[in-house]
Amino acid sequence: MKKYLFILMLGLILILAACGDSASSSSPEPDYTTEEFEKAVNEGEEVTGKTVAVKISDIAPDSAFGFNLQAGEHLNFVSSENPELQAGDEFVAEVEEVENVMGSFIINYKMK
């Protein structure tokens, strides 16, 4: 009887541990979609530190700002390194800095 109770308790502990791991390892929802983010920066919202689900429309690997992932109508997610992504890919970016340059937004980010 003690053996069965021990096995049952061990099984319960393993199930609870597995549930806890899956909940803690899932990434939280981004703060913005690409469209919501573009609206926010157009309205002057403070977005530094926020996350955005970016859908890449085009890539300019040798832009004046660095490796440029273009999204939305006027969003340019730039970095000095090639993130190994292609047009059509999606990723989550954490916004580090946003600068408005002649109506286009230059966004420094880090990948999440």
Side-chain angles (χ1 to χ4, degrees), residues 35-81:
E35 295 80 15
E36 293 167 339
F37 182 74
E38 188 151 26
K39 182 179 178 194
V41 295
N42 280 321
E43 293 175 353
E45 283 185 33
E46 177 56 48
V47 294
T48 303
K50 301 290 185 176
T51 56
V52 57
V54 179
K55 180 163 181 152
I56 303 167
S57 59
D58 200 8
I59 296 176
D62 297 321
S63 78
F65 303 104
F67 202 95
N68 184 355
L69 304 175
Q70 299 169 354
E73 290 189 35
H74 302 286
L75 302 177
N76 300 280
F77 290 83
V78 298
S79 71
S80 59
E81 298 177 13

